[in-house]
């Protein structure tokens, strides 16, 4: 096959393959720029809970709850009550700071109350489910987790830790759509966070080769036109 024909064939098929990915890049980029990142993060779904003044004299000494190899003890307020989040080699646990009673793992009623306290919009709880494995939209987060889904636009969900009672994440359909188009954008179909994966590098080199073949065809077309120009009488 002659070089111009090879360049033309390569350019045609590379262009076809790259055009499909270019549509994904363009559509994904349009979505990611059209929807503000604060909306994607779901900041509007969560209210800021003001700090509650505490009577320290009524609290248990941290040392009395820091048993079993505890490494950290953190004082918090949850649902207006003081609690200790005790961290250790085996994980974290939640302790009532006044009575010293262990509260974790939290049951459904306690999780629903915490989710309702955090949720900033209108709408009742649709479901509360204890997940033994973290779902794909919470990649890298420790399990188990409570998923509390609310009524409202875009199906908002809050994730609560059964061990600490903390809000771990908020998700909604706009975030899920962003996650999907981001996957297409970076071409990482497994973890969705590797922007230097082999598939993206192959596509980049394909685009480079396509540019080279396109430049060669452009140069070749000008040369052909000059050769085909009739001589003057």
């Amino acid at each position: 096959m002659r070089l111009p024909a090879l360049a033309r064939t390569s350019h045609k098929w590379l262009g076809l393959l790259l055009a499909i990915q270019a549509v994904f890049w363009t559509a994904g980029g349009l979505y990611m720029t059209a929807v503000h990142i604060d909306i994607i993060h779901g900041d509007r779904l969560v209210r800021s809970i003001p700090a509650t003044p505490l009577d320290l004299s009524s609290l248990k000494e941290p040392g009395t709850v820091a048993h079993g190899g505890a490494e950290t003890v953190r004082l918090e307020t949850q649902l207006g009550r003081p609690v200790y989040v005790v961290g250790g080699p085996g994980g974290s646990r939640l302790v009532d700071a006044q009575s010293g009673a262990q509260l974790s793992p939290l049951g459904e009623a306690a999780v629903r109350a915490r989710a309702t306290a955090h949720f900033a919009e209108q709408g009742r709880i649709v479901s509360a489910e204890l997940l033994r494995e973290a779902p794909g939209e919470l990649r890298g987060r420790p399990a188990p987790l409570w998923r509390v889904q609310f009524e409202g636009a875009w199906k908002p969900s809050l994730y609560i830790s059964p061990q600490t009672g903390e809000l771990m994440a908020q998700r909604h359909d706009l975030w899920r759509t962003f996650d999907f188009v981001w996957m297409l954008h970076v071409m990482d179909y497994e973890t969705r966070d590797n922007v230097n994966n082999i598939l993206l590098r192959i596509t980049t080199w394909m685009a480079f080769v396509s540019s080279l073949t396109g430049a060669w065809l452009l140069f070749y077309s000008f040369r052909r036109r000059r050769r085909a120009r009739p001589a003057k009488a």
Side-chain angles (χ1 to χ4, degrees), residues 21-36:
Q21 183 59 40
V23 170
F24 293 152
W25 281 332
T26 303
L30 179 62
Y31 180 84
M32 288 187 286
T33 55
V35 183
H36 198 280

Side-chain angles (χ1 to χ4, degrees), residues 2 4 219-231:
R2 296 177 60 187
F219 174 75
Y220 181 74
S221 66
F222 280 121
R223 289 191 61 188
R224 289 189 60 184
R225 287 181 182 179
R226 285 200 297 268
R227 290 177 181 177
R229 185 177 301 169

Side-chain angles (χ1 to χ4, degrees), residues 15 36 48 52 96 100 110 119 194 203 213-214:
H36 198 280
S48 177
T52 303
D96 189 304
F119 193 58
N194 184 4
T203 305
T213 56

